[in-house]
Structure formats: structure tokens, C-alpha cells
Amino acid sequence: MRHWNEATWTKTARRGDVHLSEQTTGMIAGTKVATRLGWRPVEAIAAGDDVLTFDGGLQRVVSVRRLVVWSDGAAMDHDLWPLLVPAGALGNREEMRIMPHQSVLVESDTAEQVFGDPFAMIPAAALDGFRGISRCVPADRIEVITLQFAQDEIVFANIGALFLCPRAVDLMDEIFAAPALSPYSVLSIEKADLLVGFLEIEDQGHVPVRRAAAAFGVAA
């Protein structure tokens, strides 16, 4: 898998009285992930468990971070609402909710034709409106679970969707160590929005290679 050299999306969320932010990049409780023992809710995963990854097969979870988010859906910024993903929209067999800052791997004929790689990592927020994916009023209490591995990994969620999970970093590393290079890069929200637009065209049976190349500034 060749990864695009794009900066990770770091758009600052407007908080107000709400506590949903870029830090809530994990999976919402109830999301199922593939493990050595089969599909299990992410909230049931503990350090030491083996989880199936896209590139590395079964990988051991180093640590698990949990964040309980309290919100007032009526008052909070709409941009911070989770997204409701219908069954089948991202290869998932079951309906699921994802946080807008979660990084999602999508497969695209446009990406393959223009960049030579069919896979692209995008922030979930770019999927709003795609294949019936839409914002949903958040529950009063949301538990977000982040699985951390020895290195960045992509995990299978809800039997088909693919989510990025970060490597484990301790406090001293965060303060003193140089940032480790990730094998995965996430498209900027602007590039992701553009790619999702072409995914919608692909769903109609077309791959406008020249148009996509021009949009991304790449020679066709």
C-alpha cells in the first residue's frame, strides 16, 4: 500500500460548552472490531488482546484510552456531531456511528488512476452526505475508545469499514521525543472533500481521470 504524502487534518474544533474535539478520534462504544476471537465490541478490548489489522495481520494492543464525552446535542456545534453510517456505506454490514475526526480508509478508482494507489485515508467529516452518511444528534453520553499499537495500524470495524488507530505514546515521548513517522498519511479536509466528490461520480459508473488529475494538480 503506497500512502499519499498529505498532512494530517488538524482543523481546530470550536468547543463552546461542548467537549467533543480532535482528541475524540477513537471508535464509539458499540463498534465491533475483528480480533483473534472474532468480532468484539471495541469497549471489550484490553491491552494484550490481538486485533486484526489491514497491513500487519494480527497485532497486539499496547494500550487502550477511554474518553467519556458529555454533550448537549441541541446546543453544540453541528460540525462536532458524530456521523451515522448506514449499513453498506463503507463496507460495514451494520449501521454505525463514527466521530468526525476519525480517520477512515476508503477505496477509490479515481485515486488508483491518478495516484497509483486505490486506498486513501480521509477524515470522516468529509463523508457527510456520501451514500446516506449524515450527522446525527449525539447522545448525552458518548464513550470513545482508542486502541493503540506499537505502530499506527488500520483495523477492521463493523465487518468491513477500516479505521486508523495510533501507536502508543507515553508522556515522556510526547514531551521530549521527535514525532515518529507514520506509514499512513491522512488527506487534508479540502483534498478529502474533493476525493469524496469523485467517489460519488464513481458510484454512477464513471471515473473522470483527466478531471480528477486536474483537480488534484497531477498530470493525467
Side-chain angles (χ1 to χ4, degrees):
M1 176 179 174
R2 187 176 67 82
H3 308 289
W4 299 0
N5 185 22
E6 293 287 344
T8 300
W9 183 36
T10 56
K11 176 182 177 183
T12 301
R14 295 189 298 273
R15 286 171 175 259
D17 295 328
V18 183
H19 302 288
L20 295 180
S21 72
E22 295 158 331
Q23 297 178 14
T24 58
T25 55
M27 288 173 271
I28 295 175
T31 304
K32 296 177 182 177
V33 296
T35 75
R36 184 185 293 277
L37 302 177
W39 292 95
R40 299 176 61 198
V42 66
E43 64 268 27
I45 305 300
D49 290 345
D50 290 331
V51 171
L52 183 63
T53 67
F54 184 66
D55 285 320
L58 286 169
Q59 293 291 323
R60 185 146 297 174
V61 175
V62 174
S63 62
V64 179
R65 288 187 177 181
R66 299 175 183 271
L67 175 65
V68 175
V69 179
W70 297 90
S71 68
D72 178 357
M76 69 183 294
D77 191 326
H78 183 266
D79 289 343
L80 301 180
W81 286 14
L83 293 102
L84 181 65
V85 182
L90 297 176
N92 51 304
R93 296 186 188 177
E94 301 175 357
E95 180 181 275
M96 63 182 180
R97 293 179 301 149
I98 56 179
M99 301 303 293
H101 291 82
Q102 173 65 53
S103 297
V104 181
L105 190 69
V106 296
E107 187 172 4
S108 164
D109 289 339
T110 297
E112 183 171 26
Q113 292 293 330
V114 175
F115 296 99
D117 185 346
F119 296 102
M121 188 73 68
I122 66 174
L127 295 165
D128 189 7
F130 176 64
R131 295 179 182 170
I133 298 171
S134 61
R135 301 283 181 165
C136 59
V137 179
D140 291 339
R141 180 183 185 276
I142 302 174
E143 184 178 13
V144 179
I145 294 93
T146 302
L147 306 182
Q148 297 183 304
F149 297 86
Q151 62 180 13
D152 290 357
E153 299 286 358
I154 298 171
V155 303
F156 294 85
N158 281 45
I159 320 180
L162 293 160
F163 293 158
L164 179 64
C165 291
R167 72 181 186 94
V169 179
D170 61 31
L171 181 60
M172 297 304 290
D173 282 342
E174 289 181 343
I175 296 173
F176 298 108
L181 294 178
S182 172
Y184 306 110
S185 296
V186 184
L187 287 178
S188 68
I189 189 62
E190 294 79 14
K191 290 282 183 80
D193 284 339
L194 190 58
L195 180 62
V196 171
F198 285 108
L199 286 174
E200 291 175 336
I201 297 174
E202 288 179 23
D203 282 352
Q204 300 171 11
H206 306 289
V207 184
V209 177
R210 290 186 179 275
R211 179 179 164 193
F216 285 100
V218 176

